[in-house]
Short mmCIF file of all heavy atoms in Angstrom, two decimals:
data_model
loop_
_atom_site.label_atom_id
_atom_site.label_comp_id
_atom_site.label_asym_id
_atom_site.label_seq_id
_atom_site.Cartn_x
_atom_site.Cartn_y
_atom_site.Cartn_z
N LEU A 179 -33.49 11.72 -11.51
CA LEU A 179 -32.67 10.76 -12.22
C LEU A 179 -31.19 11.05 -11.96
O LEU A 179 -30.38 10.16 -11.68
CB LEU A 179 -32.96 10.87 -13.72
CG LEU A 179 -32.31 9.82 -14.61
CD1 LEU A 179 -32.82 8.44 -14.22
CD2 LEU A 179 -32.61 10.09 -16.08
N LEU A 180 -30.88 12.35 -12.01
CA LEU A 180 -29.52 12.78 -11.78
C LEU A 180 -29.02 12.33 -10.41
O LEU A 180 -27.91 11.80 -10.27
CB LEU A 180 -29.47 14.31 -11.88
CG LEU A 180 -28.11 14.94 -12.06
CD1 LEU A 180 -27.55 14.53 -13.40
CD2 LEU A 180 -28.24 16.45 -11.98
N LYS A 181 -29.87 12.53 -9.42
CA LYS A 181 -29.50 12.13 -8.07
C LYS A 181 -29.22 10.63 -8.01
O LYS A 181 -28.25 10.18 -7.39
CB LYS A 181 -30.62 12.48 -7.09
CG LYS A 181 -30.45 13.87 -6.48
CD LYS A 181 -31.50 14.10 -5.41
CE LYS A 181 -31.86 15.57 -5.34
NZ LYS A 181 -33.25 15.78 -4.89
N GLN A 182 -30.10 9.87 -8.66
CA GLN A 182 -29.94 8.41 -8.64
C GLN A 182 -28.63 7.99 -9.31
O GLN A 182 -27.91 7.14 -8.82
CB GLN A 182 -31.11 7.72 -9.36
CG GLN A 182 -32.47 7.99 -8.75
CD GLN A 182 -32.54 7.50 -7.32
OE1 GLN A 182 -31.96 6.48 -6.99
NE2 GLN A 182 -33.24 8.24 -6.47
N VAL A 183 -28.38 8.60 -10.47
CA VAL A 183 -27.16 8.24 -11.20
C VAL A 183 -25.93 8.56 -10.36
O VAL A 183 -24.99 7.78 -10.27
CB VAL A 183 -27.09 8.99 -12.55
CG1 VAL A 183 -25.73 8.82 -13.19
CG2 VAL A 183 -28.18 8.48 -13.47
N ARG A 184 -25.98 9.74 -9.72
CA ARG A 184 -24.83 10.15 -8.91
C ARG A 184 -24.63 9.16 -7.77
O ARG A 184 -23.52 8.70 -7.51
CB ARG A 184 -25.07 11.55 -8.37
CG ARG A 184 -23.80 12.31 -8.16
CD ARG A 184 -24.08 13.72 -7.74
NE ARG A 184 -24.65 14.52 -8.82
CZ ARG A 184 -25.20 15.73 -8.63
NH1 ARG A 184 -25.29 16.23 -7.43
NH2 ARG A 184 -25.66 16.39 -9.67
N LEU A 185 -25.72 8.81 -7.12
CA LEU A 185 -25.66 7.87 -5.99
C LEU A 185 -25.10 6.53 -6.46
O LEU A 185 -24.19 5.97 -5.87
CB LEU A 185 -27.07 7.70 -5.40
CG LEU A 185 -27.12 6.90 -4.10
CD1 LEU A 185 -26.49 7.73 -2.99
CD2 LEU A 185 -28.56 6.55 -3.75
N ALA A 186 -25.67 6.04 -7.58
CA ALA A 186 -25.23 4.75 -8.11
C ALA A 186 -23.74 4.81 -8.43
O ALA A 186 -22.98 3.87 -8.17
CB ALA A 186 -26.02 4.39 -9.35
N GLY A 187 -23.30 5.96 -8.98
CA GLY A 187 -21.89 6.14 -9.31
C GLY A 187 -21.01 6.01 -8.08
O GLY A 187 -20.00 5.31 -8.09
N TYR A 188 -21.43 6.65 -6.99
CA TYR A 188 -20.60 6.60 -5.79
C TYR A 188 -20.61 5.21 -5.15
O TYR A 188 -19.57 4.72 -4.70
CB TYR A 188 -21.04 7.67 -4.79
CG TYR A 188 -20.60 9.04 -5.24
CD1 TYR A 188 -21.48 10.10 -5.33
CD2 TYR A 188 -19.27 9.25 -5.63
CE1 TYR A 188 -21.06 11.35 -5.77
CE2 TYR A 188 -18.85 10.48 -6.08
CZ TYR A 188 -19.74 11.53 -6.15
OH TYR A 188 -19.33 12.74 -6.60
N VAL A 189 -21.80 4.59 -5.12
CA VAL A 189 -21.88 3.23 -4.57
C VAL A 189 -20.97 2.30 -5.39
O VAL A 189 -20.19 1.53 -4.84
CB VAL A 189 -23.33 2.71 -4.57
CG1 VAL A 189 -23.36 1.23 -4.23
CG2 VAL A 189 -24.16 3.50 -3.56
N ALA A 190 -21.07 2.43 -6.72
CA ALA A 190 -20.24 1.61 -7.59
C ALA A 190 -18.77 1.87 -7.31
O ALA A 190 -17.96 0.95 -7.21
CB ALA A 190 -20.56 1.89 -9.05
N LEU A 191 -18.42 3.13 -7.14
CA LEU A 191 -17.02 3.48 -6.89
C LEU A 191 -16.52 2.81 -5.63
O LEU A 191 -15.44 2.20 -5.61
CB LEU A 191 -16.85 5.00 -6.78
CG LEU A 191 -15.42 5.42 -6.39
CD1 LEU A 191 -14.46 5.14 -7.53
CD2 LEU A 191 -15.36 6.88 -5.99
N ILE A 192 -17.32 2.89 -4.57
CA ILE A 192 -16.88 2.31 -3.30
C ILE A 192 -16.71 0.80 -3.41
O ILE A 192 -15.68 0.24 -3.02
CB ILE A 192 -17.88 2.67 -2.18
CG1 ILE A 192 -17.79 4.17 -1.88
CG2 ILE A 192 -17.59 1.87 -0.91
CD1 ILE A 192 -18.88 4.70 -1.00
N LEU A 193 -17.73 0.14 -4.00
CA LEU A 193 -17.66 -1.32 -4.13
C LEU A 193 -16.46 -1.73 -5.01
O LEU A 193 -15.69 -2.62 -4.66
CB LEU A 193 -18.95 -1.87 -4.73
CG LEU A 193 -20.17 -1.75 -3.82
CD1 LEU A 193 -21.40 -2.29 -4.52
CD2 LEU A 193 -19.92 -2.52 -2.52
N LEU A 194 -16.33 -1.02 -6.13
CA LEU A 194 -15.24 -1.37 -7.03
C LEU A 194 -13.88 -1.07 -6.39
O LEU A 194 -12.93 -1.83 -6.55
CB LEU A 194 -15.37 -0.60 -8.34
CG LEU A 194 -16.56 -1.03 -9.19
CD1 LEU A 194 -16.79 -0.05 -10.33
CD2 LEU A 194 -16.33 -2.42 -9.74
N ALA A 195 -13.82 0.02 -5.65
CA ALA A 195 -12.55 0.36 -4.99
C ALA A 195 -12.18 -0.73 -3.99
O ALA A 195 -11.02 -1.13 -3.90
CB ALA A 195 -12.67 1.72 -4.29
N LEU A 196 -13.18 -1.25 -3.28
CA LEU A 196 -12.90 -2.32 -2.31
C LEU A 196 -12.38 -3.56 -3.03
O LEU A 196 -11.38 -4.16 -2.62
CB LEU A 196 -14.16 -2.66 -1.52
CG LEU A 196 -14.54 -1.64 -0.44
CD1 LEU A 196 -15.83 -2.06 0.24
CD2 LEU A 196 -13.42 -1.51 0.58
N ALA A 197 -13.07 -3.93 -4.10
CA ALA A 197 -12.64 -5.11 -4.86
C ALA A 197 -11.24 -4.91 -5.41
O ALA A 197 -10.38 -5.80 -5.35
CB ALA A 197 -13.62 -5.39 -5.99
N THR A 198 -11.00 -3.70 -5.93
CA THR A 198 -9.69 -3.40 -6.49
C THR A 198 -8.61 -3.48 -5.41
O THR A 198 -7.55 -4.06 -5.61
CB THR A 198 -9.70 -2.00 -7.12
OG1 THR A 198 -10.85 -1.90 -7.94
CG2 THR A 198 -8.48 -1.77 -7.95
N CYS A 199 -8.92 -2.90 -4.26
CA CYS A 199 -7.97 -2.95 -3.13
C CYS A 199 -7.63 -4.39 -2.81
O CYS A 199 -6.47 -4.74 -2.59
CB CYS A 199 -8.58 -2.31 -1.88
SG CYS A 199 -8.27 -0.56 -1.80
N ALA A 200 -8.66 -5.24 -2.76
CA ALA A 200 -8.44 -6.64 -2.40
C ALA A 200 -7.50 -7.29 -3.40
O ALA A 200 -6.56 -8.00 -3.02
CB ALA A 200 -9.77 -7.39 -2.36
N ILE A 201 -7.72 -7.03 -4.68
CA ILE A 201 -6.88 -7.68 -5.70
C ILE A 201 -5.46 -7.14 -5.67
O ILE A 201 -4.49 -7.90 -5.69
CB ILE A 201 -7.53 -7.51 -7.09
CG1 ILE A 201 -8.80 -8.36 -7.09
CG2 ILE A 201 -6.56 -7.95 -8.19
CD1 ILE A 201 -9.34 -8.67 -8.41
N ILE A 202 -5.33 -5.82 -5.58
CA ILE A 202 -3.97 -5.26 -5.55
C ILE A 202 -3.23 -5.73 -4.31
O ILE A 202 -2.07 -6.14 -4.37
CB ILE A 202 -4.00 -3.72 -5.57
CG1 ILE A 202 -4.60 -3.24 -6.89
CG2 ILE A 202 -2.58 -3.15 -5.43
CD1 ILE A 202 -4.60 -1.75 -7.03
N SER A 203 -3.91 -5.71 -3.15
CA SER A 203 -3.16 -6.07 -1.95
C SER A 203 -2.79 -7.55 -1.97
O SER A 203 -1.77 -7.94 -1.42
CB SER A 203 -3.91 -5.69 -0.67
OG SER A 203 -5.16 -6.28 -0.65
#
Side-chain angles (χ1 to χ4, degrees):
Chain A
L179 187 62
L180 197 65
K181 269 186 211 151
Q182 299 299 325
V183 170
R184 209 175 290 168
L185 188 70
Y188 286 129
V189 170
L191 175 69
I192 291 169
L193 292 179
L194 291 169
L196 285 178
T198 312
C199 272
I201 291 198
I202 296 183
S203 57

